[in-house]
């Protein structure tokens, strides 16, 4: 995910059911770092961040042709445990 949508995707990961969510991001923007701090304060969720140099299976794929790759830049694997948010205002049947 590019830097423009990172904070939104990370917020959705916080609100998912109580299960581990993972996502691969490009370089983290400053806005995303601040958002991670706010999510920890508001939701109590902590993210595990792991930097990857290369994606698996890049030996036979030209990086210029591969869609979604950042040429020469590292990607970050983010994972967290969702809080299990439910919309209580929604009518349950």
């Amino acid at each position: 995910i590019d830097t423009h949508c990172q904070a939104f995707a990370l917020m959705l990961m916080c609100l998912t059911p109580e299960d581990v969510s993972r996502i691969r991001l490009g370089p983290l923007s400053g806005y995303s770092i601040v958002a991670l701090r706010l999510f920890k304060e508001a939701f109590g969720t902590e993210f595990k961040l792991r930097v990857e140099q290369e994606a698996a299976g890049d030996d036979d794929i030209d990086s210029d042709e591969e869609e979604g790759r950042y040429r020469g830049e590292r990607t970050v694997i983010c994972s967290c445990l969702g809080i299990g948010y439910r919309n209580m205002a929604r009518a349950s049947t």
Side-chain angles (χ1 to χ4, degrees):
I1 294 182
D2 65 353
T3 56
H4 300 289
C5 301
Q6 287 177 351
F8 182 67
L10 293 170
M11 181 186 64
L12 291 177
M13 287 175 63
C14 289
L15 299 175
T16 59
E18 296 176 9
D19 196 11
V20 176
S21 300
R22 289 187 193 94
I23 193 169
R24 180 187 305 267
L25 302 174
L28 286 177
S29 66
Y31 186 80
S32 298
I33 293 169
V34 171
L36 288 172
R37 291 179 184 146
L38 290 173
F39 298 152
K40 181 178 179 181
E41 186 177 324
F43 302 125
T45 57
E46 293 186 15
F47 282 80
K48 180 180 176 187
L49 305 175
R50 184 175 48 126
V51 177
E52 277 200 355
Q53 298 287 28
E54 297 179 9
D58 281 350
D59 299 337
D60 59 345
I61 299 175
D62 185 13
S63 64
D64 292 336
E65 296 175 359
E66 185 180 352
E67 190 174 330
R69 281 282 298 178
Y70 295 93
R71 293 179 208 114
E73 296 180 357
R74 292 182 250 173
T75 59
V76 180
I77 304 293
C78 300
S79 59
C80 79
L81 185 66
I83 63 169
Y85 177 78
R86 287 186 163 179
N87 185 359
M88 300 309 270
R90 186 175 170 187
S92 62
T93 56

